Coordinates of all heavy atoms in Angstrom, one line a residue:
R623 N 180.5 78.2 83.4 CA 179.1 77.9 83.7 C 178.9 76.3 83.6 O 179.5 75.6 82.8 CB 178.1 78.5 82.8 CG 178.1 80.1 83.2 CD 176.8 80.7 82.6 NE 176.9 82.1 83.0 CZ 176.1 83.2 82.6 NH1 175.2 82.8 81.6 NH2 176.0 84.2 83.1
D658 N 196.1 78.8 70.8 CA 197.1 78.6 71.8 C 196.8 79.7 73.0 O 196.8 79.4 74.1 CB 198.6 78.8 71.4 CG 198.9 77.5 70.6 OD1 198.3 76.5 70.6 OD2 200.0 77.7 69.9
G664 N 192.1 80.0 79.5 CA 191.0 79.3 80.1 C 189.8 79.0 79.2 O 188.8 78.5 79.6
P710 N 170.9 62.5 52.1 CA 171.7 62.7 53.4 C 172.6 61.4 53.6 O 172.1 60.3 53.4 CB 170.7 62.9 54.5 CG 169.5 63.4 53.8 CD 169.5 62.7 52.5
A713 N 176.2 58.9 58.4 CA 177.4 58.0 58.7 C 178.7 58.5 58.0 O 179.7 58.6 58.6 CB 177.1 56.7 58.6
F730 N 180.3 67.9 71.8 CA 179.1 68.4 71.4 C 179.0 68.3 69.9 O 179.8 68.5 69.1 CB 179.0 69.9 71.8 CG 179.0 70.2 73.3 CD1 180.3 70.2 73.9 CD2 177.9 70.3 74.0 CE1 180.3 70.3 75.4 CE2 177.9 70.4 75.4 CZ 179.1 70.4 76.1
H734 N 172.9 71.1 62.0 CA 173.3 72.5 61.6 C 172.2 73.2 61.0 O 171.6 72.7 60.0 CB 174.5 72.4 60.5 CG 175.2 73.8 60.5 ND1 176.4 73.9 59.8 CD2 175.0 75.0 60.9 CE1 176.8 75.2 59.9 NE2 176.0 75.8 60.5
D742 N 162.1 69.1 57.5 CA 161.6 67.8 57.2 C 162.6 66.8 56.8 O 162.4 65.6 56.9 CB 160.6 68.0 55.9 CG 159.3 68.6 56.4 OD1 158.9 68.6 57.6 OD2 158.5 69.1 55.4
R765 N 179.0 63.1 72.9 CA 178.8 63.3 74.4 C 177.4 64.0 74.6 O 176.6 63.6 75.4 CB 179.8 63.9 75.1 CG 181.2 63.2 74.9 CD 181.2 61.8 75.6 NE 182.3 61.0 75.3 CZ 183.5 61.0 76.0 NH1 183.7 61.9 76.9 NH2 184.4 60.3 75.6
R784 N 158.4 68.0 68.0 CA 158.9 66.7 67.4 C 160.2 66.1 68.1 O 160.1 65.0 68.3 CB 159.1 66.9 65.9 CG 158.0 67.1 65.1 CD 158.3 67.0 63.6 NE 157.5 67.7 62.6 CZ 157.7 67.6 61.4 NH1 158.6 66.9 60.7 NH2 156.7 68.2 60.5
C785 N 161.1 66.9 68.2 CA 162.5 66.4 68.6 C 163.1 66.9 69.8 O 164.2 66.6 70.1 CB 163.4 66.6 67.4 SG 162.8 66.1 65.8
Q795 N 171.2 82.6 67.2 CA 171.7 83.9 67.1 C 170.9 84.8 68.0 O 169.8 85.0 68.0 CB 171.5 84.4 65.5 CG 171.9 85.9 65.3 CD 171.9 86.2 63.8 OE1 172.3 85.4 63.0 NE2 171.6 87.5 63.5
L796 N 171.8 85.4 68.9 CA 171.3 86.3 70.0 C 172.2 87.4 70.4 O 173.4 87.1 70.5 CB 171.0 85.4 71.2 CG 170.0 85.8 72.2 CD1 168.6 85.9 71.6 CD2 170.0 84.9 73.5
Y810 N 164.3 82.8 73.0 CA 164.9 82.4 74.2 C 163.9 81.9 75.3 O 164.1 80.9 75.9 CB 165.6 83.7 74.7 CG 166.2 83.6 76.1 CD1 167.5 83.2 76.2 CD2 165.6 83.9 77.2 CE1 168.3 83.2 77.5 CE2 166.1 83.8 78.5 CZ 167.6 83.5 78.6 OH 168.1 83.3 79.9
E824 N 176.9 84.7 67.0 CA 176.7 86.0 66.5 C 176.4 87.0 67.7 O 175.5 87.9 67.6 CB 175.6 86.2 65.4 CG 175.9 85.3 64.2 CD 177.1 85.8 63.4 OE1 177.8 86.8 63.8 OE2 177.4 85.1 62.4
T833 N 181.0 98.5 66.6 CA 181.0 100.0 66.4 C 179.7 100.6 66.5 O 178.7 100.1 65.7 CB 181.6 100.3 65.0 OG1 182.9 99.7 64.9 CG2 181.8 101.8 64.9
D837 N 177.1 109.1 69.6 CA 176.4 109.4 70.8 C 176.4 108.2 71.9 O 176.8 108.3 73.0 CB 175.1 109.9 70.6 CG 174.4 110.2 71.9 OD1 174.8 111.2 72.5 OD2 173.3 109.6 72.1
A883 N 189.5 89.3 78.3 CA 189.5 90.2 79.4 C 188.1 90.5 79.8 O 187.8 90.6 80.9 CB 190.2 91.6 78.9
K905 N 168.3 102.5 66.7 CA 168.9 103.4 65.7 C 169.3 102.6 64.5 O 169.3 103.0 63.4 CB 170.0 104.3 66.3 CG 169.6 105.2 67.3 CD 170.8 105.9 67.9 CE 170.5 106.8 69.1 NZ 171.8 107.5 69.6
Q937 N 164.7 92.8 58.9 CA 165.9 91.9 59.1 C 166.9 92.1 58.1 O 168.1 92.3 58.4 CB 165.5 90.5 59.3 CG 164.7 90.1 60.5 CD 164.4 88.6 60.6 OE1 165.3 87.9 60.7 NE2 163.2 88.3 60.5
T945 N 169.8 84.8 56.2 CA 168.7 84.2 57.0 C 167.4 84.5 56.3 O 166.6 83.5 56.2 CB 168.8 84.8 58.5 OG1 170.0 84.5 59.0 CG2 167.6 84.3 59.2
M948 N 167.0 82.3 53.2 CA 166.8 80.8 53.6 C 165.3 80.6 54.0 O 164.6 79.6 53.7 CB 167.7 80.4 54.7 CG 169.1 80.0 54.3 SD 170.1 79.2 55.5 CE 170.2 80.5 56.8

Side-chain angles (χ1 to χ4, degrees):
R623 288 198 176 167
D658 284 346
F730 294 84
H734 199 169
D742 289 341
R765 300 295 171 84
R784 289 194 202 179
C785 308
Q795 179 168 320
L796 200 63
Y810 178 88
E824 301 292 358
T833 305
D837 178 61
K905 296 176 186 177
Q937 291 184 58
T945 298
M948 283 191 297

